């Protein structure tokens, strides 16, 4: 799904670092005249496969990690002055829920946190902290 110019430049690169720099430069050039990725031919399956390649084998990204890539894809559509097809959005929405659920289950089965975000402070601990602060005189 890469355009020919981007593909050729990446194939000529000598190292992973050089490939990363080339990819970044081509993505930064995205406009209505230059599409570094042929977005019209990009499928949801290809995007999900790309997401799965970002995490170490057998691991998953966090919810925000996946969101970062989705946001970048939508930004690329905007940079190229293209509308995200409704069919792509609806299919991605369906896959997205399952992807996040699978990643959360995997984290839970390996002893990681099942939820995301901040956890509530138990009232008993809050009360002890307040008493301690009153005793020390700190604000």
């Amino acid at each position: 799904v890469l355009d020919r110019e981007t593909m050729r430049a990446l194939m000529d690169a000598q190292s992973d670092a050089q490939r990363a720099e080339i990819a970044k430069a081509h993505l930064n050039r995205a406009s209505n005249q230059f599409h570094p990725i042929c977005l019209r031919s990009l499928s949801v399956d290809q995007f999900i496969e790309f997401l799965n390649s970002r995490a170490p084998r057998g691991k998953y990204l966090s919810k925000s990690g996946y969101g970062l890539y989705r946001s970048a894809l939508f930004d690329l559509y905007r940079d190229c002055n293209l509308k995200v097809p409704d069919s792509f959005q609806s299919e991605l929405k369906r896959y997205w829920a399952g992807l996040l659920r699978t990643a959360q289950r995997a984290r839970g089965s390996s002893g990681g946190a099942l939820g995301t975000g901040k956890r509530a402070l138990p009232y008993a601990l809050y009360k002890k902290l307040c008493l301690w602060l009153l005793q020390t005189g700190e604000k």
Side-chain angles (χ1 to χ4, degrees):
V1 293
L2 296 176
D3 80 307
R4 286 186 180 136
E5 181 186 336
T6 304
M7 181 65 88
R8 197 174 309 115
L10 290 172
M11 290 175 72
D12 291 342
Q14 302 298 314
S15 67
D16 286 342
Q18 195 177 21
R19 276 186 278 285
E21 284 300 315
I22 291 168
K24 186 177 181 181
H26 280 247
L27 287 170
N28 286 336
R29 283 183 40 216
S31 66
N32 18 343
Q33 286 84 29
F34 178 69
H35 302 180
I37 297 174
C38 302
L39 294 170
R40 288 188 173 99
S41 62
L42 179 68
S43 71
V44 172
D45 288 334
Q46 290 168 321
F47 183 61
I48 297 294
E49 186 178 325
F50 165 77
L51 289 175
N52 288 331
S53 75
R54 302 291 84 198
R57 181 172 229 131
K59 303 273 184 180
Y60 292 90
L61 297 174
S62 65
K63 181 178 181 180
S64 61
Y66 286 118
L68 180 78
Y69 286 107
R70 182 175 65 173
S71 177
L73 177 66
F74 290 155
D75 282 345
L76 185 59
Y77 269 97
R78 275 190 291 283
D79 291 345
C80 293
N81 210 16
L82 295 172
K83 183 186 181 306
V84 181
D86 292 336
S87 59
F88 186 91
Q89 281 188 343
S90 63
E91 189 177 350
L92 182 60
K93 185 178 179 181
R94 196 174 63 247
Y95 271 92
W96 202 254
L99 180 67
L100 296 180
R101 195 171 36 254
T102 302
Q104 189 175 18
R105 273 195 208 123
R107 275 193 300 282
S109 68
S110 65
L114 283 174
T116 58
K118 297 178 183 177
R119 286 185 237 149
L121 181 66
Y123 181 73
L125 179 57
Y126 169 75
K127 193 172 173 181
K128 285 182 183 181
L129 282 172
C130 290
L131 289 172
W132 178 77
L133 287 171
L134 286 172
Q135 290 170 352
T136 61
E138 294 182 30
K139 293 184 180 180

